[in-house]
């Protein structure tokens, strides 16, 4: 299965402008417990972690940025630059965000509340966890 899973979000654009509506467990495959957004990144890369048990959908609602996804076996890059498109990240995947445009606003929907214990922030630890799960 490809590491990059893009979802076309329900879009109701008309002459008045754009409108995207996201329904938990309908347009996306999980119930949303949390959302956060990243902006004013000052060109700094972020992420550099994996999650043990979390589904997320990342939407670049303004501007663009580049994700690097890595499942320990393969690595893929994907540029997000469409507010109507969401990147689904699930399973044991190391993620990095790079090349934020000045105006980038990255919205992330998450299936669980924030839990630092769910993070793997060390790449060597991530690789060990991947090997244990194989
Ligand atoms: P961090 O995980 O470093 O962000 P990124 O994934 O973009 O690299 O999070 C930065 C800080 O924000 C850190 O102190 C944890 C806090 N935080 C929350 O409290 N709740 C959240 O939902 C998130 C994503 C982060």
């Amino acid at each position: 299965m490809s590491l990059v899973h893009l979802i076309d979000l329900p879009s109701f654009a008309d002459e008045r402008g754009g409108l995207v509506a996201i329904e938990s467990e309908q347009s996306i495959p999980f119930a949303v417990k949390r959302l956060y957004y990243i902006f004013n990144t000052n060109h700094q890369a972020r992420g550099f972690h994996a999650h043990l048990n979390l589904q997320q959908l990342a939407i670049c609602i303004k501007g663009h940025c580049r994700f690097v996804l890595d499942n320990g076996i393969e690595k893929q890059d994907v540029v997000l630059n469409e507010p109507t498109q969401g990147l689904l990240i699930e399973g044991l995947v190391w993620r990095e965000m790079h090349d934020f445009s000045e105006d980038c606003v990255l919205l992330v929907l998450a299936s669980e509340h924030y839990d630092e214990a769910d993070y793997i922030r060390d790449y060597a630890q991530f690789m060990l966890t991947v090997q244990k799960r194989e």
Side-chain angles (χ1 to χ4, degrees):
M1 206 180 81
S2 171
L3 261 173
V4 175
H5 184 168
L6 292 167
I7 295 180
D8 286 325
L9 300 167
S11 172
F12 301 91
D14 60 27
E15 63 286 353
R16 298 167 301 165
L19 193 161
V20 168
I22 301 170
E23 302 270 354
S24 272
E25 297 177 287
Q26 292 181 21
S27 28
I28 60 170
F30 59 87
V32 177
K33 282 196 184 162
R34 171 169 58 107
L35 64 82
Y36 59 94
Y37 43 95
I38 291 168
F39 56 100
N40 288 350
T41 56
N42 205 14
H43 309 288
Q44 302 277 312
R46 306 185 62 112
F48 300 92
H49 61 253
H51 286 279
L52 291 167
N53 175 39
L54 186 69
Q55 290 171 288
Q56 289 185 304
L57 188 83
I59 308 158
C60 199
I61 56 178
K62 190 151 181 69
H64 56 88
C65 66
R66 178 173 61 90
F67 269 73
V68 177
L69 301 179
D70 174 356
N71 62 9
I73 297 160
E74 59 164 330
K75 220 182 216 193
Q76 283 185 20
D77 274 42
V78 57
V79 171
L80 296 189
N81 56 8
E82 282 288 344
T84 57
Q85 201 171 53
L87 175 66
L88 181 68
I89 308 172
E90 53 189 357
L92 197 54
V93 172
W94 183 264
R95 79 280 317 264
E96 300 173 6
M97 292 95 90
H98 296 269
D99 303 342
F100 288 94
S101 61
E102 200 97 14
D103 60 346
C104 182
V105 181
L106 181 69
L107 172 66
V108 183
L109 313 182
S111 64
E112 302 298 332
H113 292 300
Y114 178 75
D115 176 10
E116 187 56 39
D118 189 62
Y119 281 74
I120 304 173
R121 293 190 184 271
D122 176 73
Y123 192 79
Q125 186 63 45
F126 164 70
M127 288 304 293
L128 282 175
T129 310
V130 168
Q131 283 154 18
K132 266 192 238 150
R133 282 207 185 168
E134 267 174 3

